[in-house]
Each structure stands twice: as structure tokens, then as C-alpha cells.
Amino acid sequence: MAKERSRKALVELLQRPGNAACADCAAPDPDWASHSLGIFICLNCSGIHRNIPQVSKVKSVRLDDWDDAQVEFMASNGNNVAKAKYESKMPPFYYKPTFLDCQLLREQWIRAKYERKEFIHSEKQEPYSAGYREGFLWKRGRDNGQFLSRKFVLSEREGALKYFNKNDAKEPKAIMKIEHLNATFQPAKIGNPHGLQITYLKDNSTRNIFVYHEDGKEIVDWFNAIRAARFHYLQVAFPGASNADLVPKLSRNYLKEGYMEKTGPKQTEGFKKRWFTMDDRRLMYFKDPLDAFARGEVFIGSKENSYKVLEGLPPSTQGNHWQHGITIVTPDRKFLFACETEDDQLEWITTFQKVISRPMLPQEYAVEAHFKHKP
């Protein structure tokens, strides 16, 4: 009876504001709890909490036994109370992961909050909020695919992230302006759970570099340092903008990636299989997912500017091995693609439609004007 009473009380607590989603990743219907922190969490996050037993003690809401004191503690705390405490000094630029993000981001977020208490003691935020960071990362070689240790320096004052091929090199191998910098975790693509893809513009073309660090905290600190630098850059560039306007612009996850076939501008050449990345309004294609430079880039504007996406290919099309076609119409020309499966085709069409249905921003017209369609 006592067991049943405890379970009923906990299930009722889940209905309270803030408790209906995981305290750490916002996954719906959390079924687990940390009875030492007083929070309700999802199965995935409960696994991370188990790895920090000195801070968090985990139980299943429905399957484990609870004593009255533990239930009482959950009742007097809960997700909203814990958030007010453990996230009280979280900087606006710090990336708050969701259940859609990779394991590394979720783990470091949980450790930062409860184990290191970074958002209670703001001096612990120094590694990513100081405006300057330097250190070594493993970087993938452009031509041979080997990862080699390279020195990286991020300086808000200089407005750039730089890396050096030799420790004592005076000149950097690359200077990446904070204005055009993006970083996104890509563990599956890079083949490392800590893999980070950094992109920047070089001569108005996108350049990729792939890095990792063995220490999860280090690479996530680099990621948040890049976001902090972008935040401070944008605050100066757009002085009237609110945090809510700026934060979505700090870093971008790609809208979609995957293989499609494409043909050339004459549409008489054979179709070739390429890796495609939809990054905001840039559709880029690569021979290999880990190439440094795109083979070509297509700007995708809005329907008001005569861009549209059509299911299928023109009747005269030949040479595609894959049968599920997509046609993108731009003011200049048509681009023809083919997908391996109907599901792929539907996902790409949905992604393109989302981009096309969004009105263009003033700065996007400038991007469109400078855009180079490479053959």
C-alpha cells in the first residue's frame, strides 16, 4: 500500500508545471528522477546522471521503491525549482541541448550544471567567456584524412579563430572571421564522439574543418567559446537586437544532410552521387562528406523571389540511377536531384519547402547577389 501511495504521489508530481518534460533535455514524459537533486528526467539523461553518483542518485518513478522522505523531497523541489538554482547564472550564449542533440553535449551540460556548478559560480565560466582561448585540437588533414595536433587561438579582440600548422609558426595557416564562423557537432560523420565541424567563408565559398579533443569538456568549451565570440560580435553589429534575436544566430545545426544524385547545368550529363548539406539557405554538395570545400553551392531563396521545389524530374530526364526525383527552380535555372528512397525524397522536399516558405532577410539578398554557382 505504501509503495502504491508513493508511486501515485510521484505520478501526480509529474503533472506539475515544469515536471512534464525532462529537466535536462526537455524530452516529453520523463519516467525517471534524481531523488538527490529533486528533478524528473528521461531515460537517456538518467544514464548520464548514474555516471555522477556523488551528485545524483537516480530511481525509476514507476518501477523502484520510494520512501516518504524521498517523495517529500521531490514534492518540495521539482524541475522549476532546480532550474532556478542550477541555471541561475547561465550566460545567454551557452548552448542548452535538447533530446535531439548528441550524447556529448547532453553529458557536458548535465556535468556543468550539477557537478561543476558552472551556472551558480560565474567564475567557473572563464574557459568559454573570457574572450580569448588557445589550445590544441586534433584536426583532420585536408588531403590525407589523418588527424594531427594543431594549435588554435580564438580572439574576440582580433575577431578571428586561427590555427597554426607548427607550434612555433609566426603566421597562421588559416584565419576564420568570427562574423562567418559556424560550429556544429558531427560525431557520426567525423567518426568520433567528440567530433566538431567548423565552417567559415573563404572567398565567399564555404570551407570545412573537422576537429576533436579527447576531453569532452574541452571540446564543448571550445564550442561555447565560439558561440560567446559570435554573441559579442553580433551585439556590436546589431546594437538594438535582443538576446532572443541573437541567440539563434550563434551556431547552426544543418537542416539536412545526405546523399542525392545530381546532374550538371545542361542536364544532359550523367547523374553523379554527391553528399549534400543544407545550411540555412546554402545547399552545398561534396564528393565526400569530409571534403574541405564544396564542389558547388546553390542559393535557395523564397517563393516571393521565384524559387520553388517540385516533386519529380522533367519527362525528358535521363541518366539518373535513383528514381525519386526533385526539381528546384531558381530565377536562373533548374537544378535536378534524385533520391534513393521515397522517404529521402519526402524529407528533402519538406526541408526545401521550409526554406522557400521563409521570407528573405535584407542581408540574404546580399548573399544571393554575391553567390557563385560553381559548375
Side-chain angles (χ1 to χ4, degrees):
M1 278 296 289
K3 253 190 209 179
E4 202 45 56
R5 195 176 68 239
S6 295
R7 194 164 295 129
K8 189 164 177 268
L10 287 164
V11 170
E12 280 173 12
L13 288 178
L14 283 170
Q15 311 310 313
R16 280 194 191 170
N19 293 345
C22 172
D24 295 324
C25 75
D29 307 319
D31 228 4
W32 292 77
S34 168
H35 59 87
S36 55
L37 295 170
I39 55 173
F40 293 96
I41 52 178
C42 70
L43 175 63
N44 276 343
C45 289
S46 76
I48 297 169
H49 279 259
R50 281 184 197 281
N51 290 333
I52 44 172
Q54 68 282 15
V55 174
S56 190
K57 303 273 190 286
V58 176
K59 279 189 175 189
S60 165
V61 168
R62 289 178 169 82
L63 304 177
D64 287 327
D65 293 341
W66 290 74
D67 62 42
D68 290 346
Q70 289 167 342
V71 176
E72 192 53 51
F73 184 74
M74 295 302 296
S76 58
N77 285 277
N79 292 2
N80 285 350
V81 170
K83 181 178 178 174
K85 176 183 177 181
Y86 290 103
E87 298 179 30
S88 63
K89 293 182 181 171
M90 189 183 109
F93 58 76
Y94 194 95
Y95 187 80
K96 188 173 178 173
T98 72
F99 57 93
L100 299 172
D101 282 298
C102 64
Q103 173 80 5
L104 171 72
L105 274 171
R106 287 183 288 114
E107 181 187 346
Q108 288 305 317
W109 162 240
I110 288 167
R111 288 185 180 273
K113 262 206 291 190
Y114 308 115
E115 185 181 40
R116 301 192 290 267
K117 298 187 172 64
E118 287 177 20
F119 313 124
I120 294 175
H121 308 292
S122 41
E123 68 276 7
K124 295 191 174 182
Q125 298 167 18
E126 184 78 12
Y128 45 82
S129 61
Y132 182 87
R133 183 177 173 87
E134 68 172 69
F136 289 86
L137 296 171
W138 293 97
K139 179 194 165 290
R140 187 179 189 273
R142 191 175 92 186
D143 302 319
N144 60 11
Q146 276 186 309
F147 281 89
L148 297 168
S149 180
R150 293 288 180 254
K151 182 183 174 183
F152 281 77
V153 176
L154 175 69
S155 168
E156 284 188 18
R157 193 171 53 78
E158 292 179 34
L161 172 67
K162 301 182 283 193
Y163 79 86
F164 299 82
N165 265 358
K166 295 193 170 63
N167 295 355
D168 56 354
K170 296 279 184 285
E171 293 303 314
K173 176 73 175 151
I175 299 173
M176 303 164 246
K177 287 185 176 168
I178 286 168
E179 180 186 358
H180 301 302
L181 208 52
N182 187 41
T184 176
F185 279 97
Q186 295 273 24
K189 189 158 99 174
I190 296 170
N192 185 294
H194 300 173
L196 184 69
Q197 180 173 350
I198 296 172
T199 60
Y200 62 102
L201 287 185
K202 188 175 181 181
D203 306 325
N204 204 42
S205 292
T206 305
R207 164 85 159 94
N208 296 321
I209 62 170
F210 302 95
V211 296
Y212 73 88
H213 195 287
E214 299 94 329
D215 185 309
K217 178 184 184 301
E218 277 287 308
I219 196 72
V220 174
D221 282 351
W222 271 105
F223 174 64
N224 280 302
I226 289 169
R227 284 176 58 88
R230 296 239 336 124
F231 182 63
H232 298 137
Y233 164 80
L234 290 169
Q235 279 182 316
V236 174
F238 303 100
S242 67
N243 288 354
D245 291 331
L246 298 181
V247 167
K249 297 183 171 70
L250 301 185
S251 62
R252 304 178 303 279
N253 292 330
Y254 299 132
L255 301 179
K256 183 165 170 57
E257 290 196 290
Y259 284 107
M260 289 192 288
E261 291 183 334
K262 68 166 286 291
T263 186
K266 297 193 184 76
Q267 294 163 12
T268 51
E269 305 97 303
F271 276 71
K272 291 187 175 121
K273 182 178 162 185
R274 293 287 180 255
W275 177 266
F276 283 82
T277 298
M278 188 75 228
D279 181 13
D280 200 23
R281 289 196 185 274
R282 284 174 184 259
L283 177 66
M284 300 173 278
Y285 53 92
F286 304 85
K287 198 167 181 185
D288 182 275
L290 297 176
D291 281 348
F293 290 99
R295 288 295 174 101
E297 306 190 29
V298 179
F299 181 87
I300 299 186
S302 65
K303 57 176 185 282
E304 292 89 350
N305 298 81
S306 308
Y307 289 82
K308 58 183 173 190
V309 58
L310 308 170
E311 185 183 330
L313 298 168
S316 58
T317 310
Q318 293 177 322
N320 48 309
H321 306 98
W322 292 347
Q323 297 311 305
H324 306 279
I326 301 173
T327 301
I328 290 183
V329 181
T330 77
D332 302 328
R333 58 169 272 205
K334 288 179 179 170
F335 291 88
L336 310 184
F337 307 109
C339 301
E340 188 172 17
T341 67
E342 202 173 330
D343 285 351
D344 268 356
Q345 178 196 37
L346 184 62
E347 282 178 25
W348 277 111
I349 287 174
T350 305
T351 303
F352 293 143
Q353 278 170 340
K354 272 186 198 158
V355 174
I356 286 169
S357 63
R358 205 173 73 218
M360 274 168 65
L361 302 168
Q363 58 268 38
E364 290 176 332
Y365 284 99
V367 175
E368 183 188 38
H370 288 120
F371 218 81
K372 293 192 296 207
H373 292 310
K374 294 190 281 297

